[in-house]
Amino acid sequence: MSNKKRISALIFSLLLSILICSCKPNLPVDQTDISQPSDEQTTSIQNRKLTVCLGYSPESLFFYKATTQVEWDILQAMYDLPTITSDGETFPTILKGIPSHENGGLEITSTALIEGDMLVDTSGNTVPLEKGVQFFPSGCSTLDCAKKWDGTESVLVDKVKLSFQLLDDLKWSDGTPLTAQDSVFSYVLASDPLTPIDKTLIRQIADYKAIDQSTLSVSLFPGVISQNPLPYFFNPLPLHAWGDYSVAEILQAPFANETPLSWGAYRIKEWGTDSIYLERNPYYYRAAEGLPAFEELEFRFTSVQGDTNLATLDFDYAPYEIFEYNWSPDGSTHYMDQCDVVDSTVDFSDQYDMFDYLLDYYITPAILVNNPSNEILEGLWLNPQKGWVTDLQPILSQCIDRSYLNSKLNYGIALPTESIYTVSYDAANNLYAPDEAAQALETLGWHDDDGDPGTARVSNEVESIQNGTALTLSLPILNDPFYEREAELLQLSLQDCGIQLDIQPYQAADYYQMENTPIYKDYDVRLVTQRITAEFPCTMVATEAGNFTFPGISKDEKISSQCSGSSNLEIPETSIPLIPLFYHVDISIARSDLCGLSPSGQPSSDLWNIEEFDYGETCSAGIKN
């Protein structure tokens, strides 16, 4: 626990305090009128402001140079991406629809190719047809039916044509109409070798053109197999403002990197030392809905420290008995103009106990905490070279109380899971079944001779195990309070089944040694933390990092054979010696009366629907969290 965290916990426990009023007035902000049309201008007795605090500052706001979460957060306020994803469904925003067979926006035709014709191979690369090229023949969409051209056989592949329809009457933030030509201009910029983005998808495009003011036609090279047409739509960039400049000039220009025109809810007003100020875009296509709710939006750059940002969040401190003291790094207090939202660019991993206090110790929670999964799984890896250990996998899984583990280790903030690939957990009907597991152990020959759950079961006629061997699994861990606590909690669960852990803490210098050490060869189980993709575990098999995180994975015959096969499907979880425990989360916090915050909707930004944010009495009943 950090010193700041200890101080925070102590302060929360003090009985005497200085009450701090939470009724902080919004400071008036000078608004500069930039050719706003009188029929769309919103008047207000007092300008309302939303303050979003971020962990660090952006380098650029040029769409094709954005690489950080902070940059995407700010761009989300300036641009509505062509679609949004919420609760697993995708909806169009500036498009009239997503191209499909049903709406006529997706056409697939078969075409014959001869040697030298361009096509997209099974790896997604655009190449000339020549002997040895692997491709998807017409009607095929998986590696199971892919072919390698022998140089003589006739080649028939599918060719895709897409049509995108922009909404009518879209405008840039300077009032200029936004047209399909702006998307073509964006495609041209993206295609230029100087533009720092991956060109794989761009090279799959044979033709990208505007049919009229709102219609785009996109023809792909034969062989493209994609269930998602959206990556082939290029977000518009302002041709009327940037068209006279070279790509090299645009990449360096302040008008592209600092004050780009936008079509979303807000437009750039001013860059400050520690903030960027935006103002309501009067030409926003959803303005008639009363969006956005705020005249001004401030992105304030604080730090990545969780305690600093929690201290700057706008909530009613008085009931929570907090002394007025300074958490901020610059020596100033922040009570007069605090953050309404703090997004996941801040590291809140050491603040879970504080969240527990602010959320659960009183009838009314002090703040909002949003905790979507960040795709990083915490799990228990079983040594694949020890068959007697992997044979215990389903039993070990039944012995672990994931809900209890998460509540004690993460204060319930993380997401327990029984699946490797997704967050899947039903508290009322979960895998935790110690009685069934104990019976299964008895059947295997692991007997509880003394009836004492504090001692390990012993073997009796267990295959390849000497009789009388204690059921004790070695667990090397990093000498770190988090992992020590996690190992202790696992031991508490497993001992109910008669399984003991030999917890072996190592200093980092020893723990992170590469293979050929006892830690990596003789272990029974290990704690692992890994981002899970659809290609897992095959992406781990042939890499040094994979064998470091999952020792022995490259020697697992079952995994190796399935990963080397022709199928591109996920490897079945039963083939992977990994017990999922919980998914880590990306935390964003907000004042308790904020509505609209739903970070699970879009992976690129917590603020995917920032135009719908509101707080106080004006919150729409239909936009609650």
Side-chain angles (χ1 to χ4, degrees), residues 85-266:
T85 301
S86 180
D87 296 327
E89 293 188 57
T90 300
F91 306 93
T93 55
I94 63 169
L95 296 174
K96 291 183 177 179
I98 300 172
S100 65
H101 293 289
E102 292 74 19
N103 62 24
L106 172 63
E107 298 179 16
I108 300 179
T109 57
S110 297
T111 183
L113 301 181
I114 60 174
E115 186 172 9
D117 285 345
M118 300 300 293
L119 84 162
V120 178
D121 66 14
T122 56
S123 297
N125 299 312
T126 304
V127 296
L129 178 63
E130 56 187 26
K131 186 176 180 180
V133 168
Q134 188 177 40
F135 65 96
F136 294 111
S138 180
C140 170
S141 60
T142 69
L143 290 173
D144 291 330
C145 51
K147 293 183 177 181
K148 282 188 178 181
W149 194 45
D150 60 6
T152 60
E153 184 182 9
S154 61
V155 175
L156 190 67
V157 295
D158 291 332
K159 184 176 181 180
V160 175
K161 183 177 181 180
L162 304 169
S163 179
F164 295 97
Q165 292 278 337
L166 292 170
L167 293 179
D168 298 328
D169 300 323
L170 292 173
K171 292 183 179 181
W172 290 101
S173 53
D174 64 355
T176 303
L178 187 155
T179 71
Q181 286 292 350
D182 292 313
S183 180
V184 175
F185 176 61
S186 179
Y187 165 73
V188 172
L189 287 181
S191 303
D192 193 279
L194 292 178
T195 303
I197 62 170
D198 183 80
K199 300 294 195 292
T200 301
L201 283 176
I202 295 172
R203 296 190 183 105
Q204 295 176 1
I205 298 174
D207 187 41
Y208 195 99
K209 63 184 179 182
I211 302 301
D212 54 39
Q213 289 291 92
S214 60
T215 307
L216 287 156
S217 176
V218 183
S219 297
L220 307 182
F221 280 108
V224 171
I225 301 297
S226 176
Q227 302 299 319
N228 183 12
L230 296 174
Y232 300 101
F233 174 82
F234 287 78
N235 290 295
L237 290 172
L239 173 63
H240 71 285
W242 299 1
D244 293 335
Y245 297 89
S246 68
V247 174
E249 291 172 324
I250 291 172
L251 288 172
Q252 301 300 321
F255 64 71
N257 291 278
E258 297 178 10
T259 57
L261 293 173
S262 58
W263 70 75
Y266 295 93

Side-chain angles (χ1 to χ4, degrees), residues 506-548:
Y506 288 86
Q507 296 297 326
D510 297 321
Y511 187 82
Y512 288 120
Q513 285 188 69
M514 291 307 291
E515 48 193 336
N516 299 322
T517 65
I519 303 176
Y520 286 87
K521 297 179 68 176
D522 296 335
Y523 75 98
D524 293 326
V525 293
R526 287 174 58 90
L527 292 169
V528 295
T529 305
Q530 176 65 39
R531 184 176 296 277
I532 301 297
T533 65
E535 293 77 24
F536 178 84
C538 296
T539 49
M540 300 286 106
V541 171
T543 66
E544 184 176 286
N547 282 275
F548 174 78

Side-chain angles (χ1 to χ4, degrees), residues 328-580:
S328 66
D330 61 1
S332 62
T333 58
H334 290 275
Y335 293 121
M336 293 304 297
D337 187 17
Q338 295 184 269
C339 310
D340 301 306
V341 180
V342 184
D343 92 326
S344 59
T345 56
V346 171
D347 180 10
F348 286 114
S349 61
D350 64 347
Q351 296 298 302
Y352 287 3
D353 58 341
M354 299 294 247
F355 294 155
D356 182 56
Y357 181 88
L358 294 171
L359 292 173
D360 298 328
Y361 274 60
Y362 292 80
I363 295 175
T364 303
I367 62 176
L368 294 178
V369 175
N370 287 274
N371 57 332
S373 166
N374 60 10
E375 301 178 347
I376 297 176
L377 177 70
E378 188 82 8
L380 192 66
W381 176 253
L382 283 58
N383 191 336
Q385 297 179 75
K386 293 187 176 183
W388 73 271
V389 175
T390 56
D391 288 344
L392 296 173
Q393 180 171 349
I395 297 174
L396 292 173
S397 186
Q398 286 183 309
C399 291
I400 297 173
D401 187 345
R402 292 164 173 81
S403 180
Y404 176 81
L405 174 68
N406 185 45
S407 67
K408 296 301 182 182
L409 184 66
N410 303 306
Y411 291 88
I413 298 294
L415 304 174
T417 184
E418 297 168 346
S419 170
I420 293 175
Y421 292 103
T422 61
V423 177
S424 177
Y425 183 75
D426 182 356
N429 186 26
N430 59 67
L431 289 179
Y432 180 54
D435 292 338
E436 292 181 23
Q439 183 58 49
L441 288 170
E442 287 286 341
T443 302
L444 287 176
W446 293 102
H447 294 170
D448 182 7
D449 291 339
D450 60 7
D452 182 359
T455 60
R457 291 172 176 270
V458 294
S459 60
N460 182 14
E461 303 300 325
V462 178
E463 184 178 354
S464 74
I465 300 295
Q466 184 177 351
N467 286 347
T469 300
L471 183 48
T472 301
L473 304 176
S474 63
L475 172 60
I477 63 170
L478 184 64
N479 189 4
D480 176 90
F482 179 86
Y483 294 110
E484 290 175 352
R485 178 62 172 156
E486 184 176 13
E488 292 169 359
L489 291 168
L490 285 173
Q491 173 64 94
L492 288 174
S493 276
L494 292 174
Q495 74 178 12
D496 288 342
C497 294
I499 301 171
Q500 292 291 317
L501 292 177
D502 177 17
I503 302 172
Q504 304 167 354
Y506 288 86
Q507 296 297 326
D510 297 321
Y511 187 82
Y512 288 120
Q513 285 188 69
M514 291 307 291
E515 48 193 336
N516 299 322
T517 65
I519 303 176
Y520 286 87
K521 297 179 68 176
D522 296 335
Y523 75 98
D524 293 326
V525 293
R526 287 174 58 90
L527 292 169
V528 295
T529 305
Q530 176 65 39
R531 184 176 296 277
I532 301 297
T533 65
E535 293 77 24
F536 178 84
C538 296
T539 49
M540 300 286 106
V541 171
T543 66
E544 184 176 286
N547 282 275
F548 174 78
T549 305
F550 302 95
I553 189 172
S554 61
K555 299 177 181 179
D556 187 301
E557 294 182 0
K558 189 181 296 185
I559 291 178
S560 296
S561 63
Q562 294 193 61
C563 288
S564 62
S566 60
S567 175
N568 63 348
L569 298 176
E570 291 180 349
I571 301 297
E573 295 193 24
T574 53
S575 299
I576 307 172
L578 175 62
I579 298 174

